[in-house]
Every structure is written in C-alpha cells, then in structure tokens.
Amino acid sequence: ETTWDGVVISAREGADIRAVTGGKVVYADWLRGYGLMIIVDHGKGYMSLYAFNQSLHKNVGDHVRAGEVLASVGRSGGRADAALYFGIRKNGRPVDPEQWCRKPTKG
C-alpha cells in the first residue's frame, strides 16, 4: 500500500508560500528534520504542512484565507538547496497533496 508523506518543491529562496485554502494556524515553530514549519487546520480533519521555511509570517491562532502568504521559502531543517516541503494530512494520516496543488480552471 502506498501512502503520501508530502512533496518537496524546489523554489527560489525567499519566495512567498501561500495557504492552499482558508483555515487556522495551529503550529508555527521549528521542528527537527523540517526546520521552520507552519501547519494550517482547514477543518473536517484536514491540515496542510509547509516546511523548510526561511521565515514564518503567521502565528499560532491566526486565521488565514486561501492564497494568503504564510511563510517564505528557505533551507531550514538541514536543506542544501532552497525548497518547500508541502504535505496534507486527513485525520493525522498523509494523503496525496497533488489534488491540493492544481491550478483552478478558468470558467
């Protein structure tokens, strides 16, 4: 059985990291192996995780809208190159993050 733990996306150091959808910040701090990490609770058991950040722009308890800047891309957590770790959890279990990364279709 294959499970998704998340994806690492190469990006320019300092680039904005935006929330995939609205929610509440439930974690914003250093986490061993992930560096600076921010976690957003979207309700109904869904959370999004953003790690390896250079800096965090939100604090625990902040409410965020879809597309709002949460952090900036960095190399924290032992990364040699700038990148974003992006993961989705449903009831604490990893799910394929691709469905959350698709660009909206024009109507």
Side-chain angles (χ1 to χ4, degrees), residues 36-96:
L36 286 174
M37 176 182 258
I38 193 161
I39 301 175
V40 178
D41 184 342
H42 304 289
K44 297 184 181 179
Y46 284 99
M47 292 186 177
S48 57
L49 295 73
Y50 312 81
F52 305 146
N53 301 304
Q54 180 180 72
S55 58
L56 304 177
H57 302 302
K58 298 294 177 185
N59 297 303
V60 171
D62 288 350
H63 290 273
V64 297
R65 298 179 312 276
E68 192 168 345
V69 175
L70 302 172
S72 57
V73 173
R75 301 174 197 220
S76 64
R79 298 279 314 165
D81 299 314
L84 163 66
Y85 166 84
F86 175 67
I88 297 290
R89 301 291 186 271
K90 167 86 182 203
N91 297 323
R93 295 191 170 142
V95 296
D96 182 351

